[in-house]
Amino acid sequence: MPPDPIRTPTDPHGRCTAGHQVLALTDRLGGAETYDEAAEATEHVLDEADGVLTRLGQFFEAAAEECRASGADEGFELACRFEDAAATLTDLSDELHGASDQMRSLGPPPDPRWQAQVARYYATTPQRPGPASPTPTMSGPPAPPVRPEHAPQPRHHR
């Protein structure tokens, strides 16, 4: 039985599976605890033979061929746009050649992100006991609404 598709607010039916895989890869990169782990994530995108950039370039080349096969002027124009996209991805891949290895050599693990530091702080901080009983509310007539002339005004500092 195939796994349930990943659903997002922008893809409630889970049809964009390749996009979801890239999103998971992005999360993996963002959660990397070492530069080696980060480099492994980037290799999925940058690998010259099987990386996302290479495969996406092949996709655009195939799309260009399909458009040309239509024989229509619009098809040729669209084919040129797809070929430009494929060339841009090839240039990008060339520009990033060796980037995964460079990332791997950046050195020791990065400092934990501030979110992780805050989470660790709250996980280890003793919890203060809450109030023993709820604070009683005062009964009586409701307070009058604040009129604009009585509202606090911003302070000007010199």
Side-chain angles (χ1 to χ4, degrees), residues 70-130:
S70 74
D73 288 342
E74 296 85 9
F76 285 104
E77 290 173 17
L78 186 55
C80 288
R81 291 172 54 199
F82 281 129
E83 287 170 343
D84 287 347
T88 299
L89 290 169
T90 299
D91 291 344
L92 183 58
S93 183
D94 290 346
E95 175 69 26
L96 294 171
H97 179 77
S100 294
D101 292 333
Q102 289 176 316
M103 182 176 278
R104 187 172 278 110
S105 68
L106 286 176
D111 291 333
R113 291 184 167 77
W114 69 268
Q115 297 97 329
Q117 291 174 346
V118 169
R120 192 169 28 257
Y121 170 80
Y122 282 111
T124 59
T125 303
Q127 299 297 316
R128 294 183 188 172

Side-chain angles (χ1 to χ4, degrees), residues 137-152:
T137 58
M138 302 290 285
S139 60
V146 176
R147 296 195 324 243
E149 62 268 13
H150 295 116

Side-chain angles (χ1 to χ4, degrees), residues 2-41:
D4 288 336
I6 297 172
R7 301 175 199 294
T8 64
T10 55
D11 183 20
H13 301 292
R15 293 183 181 138
C16 295
T17 57
H20 294 296
Q21 289 174 338
V22 172
L23 181 60
L25 189 57
T26 303
D27 290 342
R28 181 174 159 191
L29 175 64
E33 294 184 11
T34 66
Y35 288 113
D36 190 52
E37 289 177 12
E40 288 177 24

